[in-house]
């Protein structure tokens, strides 16, 4: 089978440049183009030069429609509005769309689900192997321990991250809720300020920290009477997300249209 032709959305950003490098270094795929919005200073620039790996002869475009007609997949770690639009294009072109974007609204979710009727869409709050293994462990521990163990999720990211809690924190919260046999919407506690009263039994709490250049740190704490269990993942490079994204794209090439997660890709 020929190498999978992949487009990188948001190619000039930090994650986009990492994706360009990882696609170039990976077997089974090649770069088919990069996308940036109108007005970007990166338009027309060589993707390899942007990523610091030398010219590759593939440039940045603001026309995703033109690119998808000659591609097999899109790697997309951008923003909700852009991701929703790209999902619609992926559905039209019947190609794979890997979404690492977070911060979607319920309406955004519905539009992505509609696009997945015609495209293979792999969406996850975190593409790394370690985080998805962590989520599986969180679900198992939550199912084993009863409500005498309080669940708290802490996360920290760089100062430029715009959504909170992070998509990864919510992914871990969903895993904990599934383990407990409840819905996260019913049990999520995301805001504590002032005289809040005692903690509600069964709640799943979230704390978001922002600062510096932290790539991503997540901990799930099970706090019981006189003992505490902590499960932690620390991302030390954006490469782990890019590697997961490429792995998801290659997996999706052989899948039927539908909405998938990294659990499907990794067989968890």
């Amino acid at each position: 089978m020929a190498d999978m032709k992949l487009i990188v959305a948001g190619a000039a950003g930090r994650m986009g440049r990492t994706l360009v490098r990882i696609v170039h270094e990976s077997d089974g795929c090649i770069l088919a183009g990069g996308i940036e919005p109108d007005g970007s200073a990166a338009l027309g620039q060589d993707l390899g030069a942007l990523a610091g790996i030398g010219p590759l002869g593939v440039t940045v475009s603001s026309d995703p429609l033109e690119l998808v007609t000659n591609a097999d997949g899109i790697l997309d770690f951008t923003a909700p509005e852009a991701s929703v639009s790209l999902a619609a294009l992926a559905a039209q072109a019947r190609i794979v769309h890997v979404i690492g974007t977070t911060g979607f609204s319920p309406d955004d979710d519905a539009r992505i689900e509609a696009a997945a009727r015609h495209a293979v869409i792999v969406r996850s709050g975190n593409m790394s192997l370690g985080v998805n293994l962590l989520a599986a462990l969180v679900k198992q521990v939550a199912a084993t321990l009863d409500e005498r163990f309080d669940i708290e999720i802490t996360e920290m990211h760089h100062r430029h991250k715009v959504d909170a809690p992070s998509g990864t924190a919510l992914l871990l919260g969903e895993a904990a809720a599934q383990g407990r046999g409840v819905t996260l919407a019913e049990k999520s506690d995301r805001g504590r300020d002032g005289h809040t009263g005692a903690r509600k039994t069964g709640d799943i709490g979230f704390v978001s920290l922002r600062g510096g250049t932290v790539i991503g740190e997540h901990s799930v704490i099970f706090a019981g009477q006189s003992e505490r269990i902590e499960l932690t993942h620390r991302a030390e490079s954006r490469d782990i997300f890019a590697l997961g994204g490429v792995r998801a794209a290659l997996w999706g090439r052989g899948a039927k249209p539908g909405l998938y997660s990294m659990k499907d890709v990794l067989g968890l």
Side-chain angles (χ1 to χ4, degrees), residues 97-250:
H97 186 193
V98 176
I99 303 177
T101 307
T102 59
F104 291 104
S105 69
D107 181 62
D108 294 333
D109 292 336
R111 293 170 67 185
I112 290 172
E113 289 170 8
R117 291 198 289 265
H118 305 288
V120 174
I121 297 181
V122 182
R123 174 183 164 186
S124 179
N126 193 300
M127 294 287 174
S128 84
L129 171 62
V131 161
N132 284 278
L133 288 172
L134 174 61
L137 289 172
V138 167
K139 181 178 179 180
Q140 182 177 356
V141 174
T144 303
L145 302 176
D146 60 26
E147 289 188 342
R148 286 176 293 183
F149 280 80
D150 299 318
I151 302 175
E152 292 286 320
I153 299 172
T154 68
E155 54 102 345
M156 185 170 185
H157 286 82
H158 54 85
R159 66 192 308 273
H160 300 291
K161 187 169 178 60
V162 297
D163 59 308
S166 69
T168 302
L170 294 174
L171 181 153
L172 295 172
E174 289 285 0
Q178 290 171 13
R180 285 274 169 92
V182 300
T183 65
L184 185 61
E186 294 174 348
K187 295 296 184 178
S188 177
D189 183 0
R190 304 188 191 182
R192 296 173 183 146
D193 186 26
H195 189 74
T196 61
R199 189 188 199 281
K200 294 180 182 178
T201 299
D203 275 359
I204 298 173
F206 291 85
V207 178
S208 297
L209 307 176
R210 298 288 178 267
T213 58
V214 177
I215 293 173
E217 295 186 4
H218 297 82
S219 292
V220 182
I221 303 166
F222 295 86
Q225 184 67 38
S226 303
E227 61 180 335
R228 186 169 69 245
I229 300 167
E230 298 184 14
L231 303 174
T232 297
H233 179 272
R234 294 184 177 90
E236 298 178 354
S237 168
R238 288 184 175 82
D239 285 15
I240 62 173
F241 311 128
L243 288 164
V246 170
R247 182 169 179 174
L250 293 170

Side-chain angles (χ1 to χ4, degrees), residues 30-51:
I30 58 173
L31 285 165
I35 304 170
E36 277 289 312
D38 287 328
S40 169
L43 293 178
Q45 293 190 41
D46 188 282
L47 285 172
L50 280 173

Side-chain angles (χ1 to χ4, degrees), residues 56-72:
L56 298 175
V58 183
T59 57
V60 180
S61 170
S62 62
D63 186 358
L65 181 58
E66 179 184 10
L67 291 176
V68 298
T69 59
N70 295 300
D72 301 308

